[in-house]
Amino acid sequence: MEVFTDMIALVVAAIFINNILLAQFLGNCPFLGVSKKMDTAVGMAGAVVFVLTLAALFTWLAYFMFLKPLKLEYIQTLAFILVIATLVQFVEMFLRKSIPALYKSLGIFLPLITTNCAVMGVTLLNIKNFKEYTKVWAGHELIVALVYSAAAACGFGLALILFAGIREKFEISRIPKVLDGTGIGLVTAGLLALSFFAFKGMI
């Protein structure tokens, strides 16, 4: 029961308290780039959840089954990029054949998931936090890494969808010319990040 409670706390912390976008400021490029329309934001959120969860699994296996035993930890960043790039290619091929409209609307931001620092950041955090995972969830480190990665991706998706919902209102709002476009987007992103600070202290 205690393990389950700790896992719930980990999920809540990853989504709300230490949100990868709004608290750790990783992945801001797609956050600003694909948040003008809700359907595009939802598509990107789904793609990131899929890629990040699988990336966590395969980078974990690559690190602990190959890199660490062979003492090749120093190339982990390169290895992780290769894993993430492969997964992104699968997502790109799937969307191109199954949902071409979404594929076109995501544009350049879909292949940019490969270099999305939110995806890379979470996979590196899993390796960095291995000792902490062992202290609390000994023997279940991989499961914890997957849960954390999926929760972080959901936090990314939540922030992106909320931001897209707000930005859609800009089209019918009167905005000063000096703030129109990226300016009002950055101000709104800052206010959204501040709103998430209300969750500090929950856990």
Side-chain angles (χ1 to χ4, degrees), residues 22-35:
L22 302 177
Q24 302 189 55
F25 309 110
L26 296 174
N28 289 312
C29 181
F31 181 59
L32 293 170
V34 298
S35 58

Side-chain angles (χ1 to χ4, degrees), residues 2-15:
E2 185 177 348
V3 173
F4 179 75
T5 304
D6 289 339
M7 200 73 75
I8 293 296
L10 178 68
V11 170
V12 172
I15 295 175

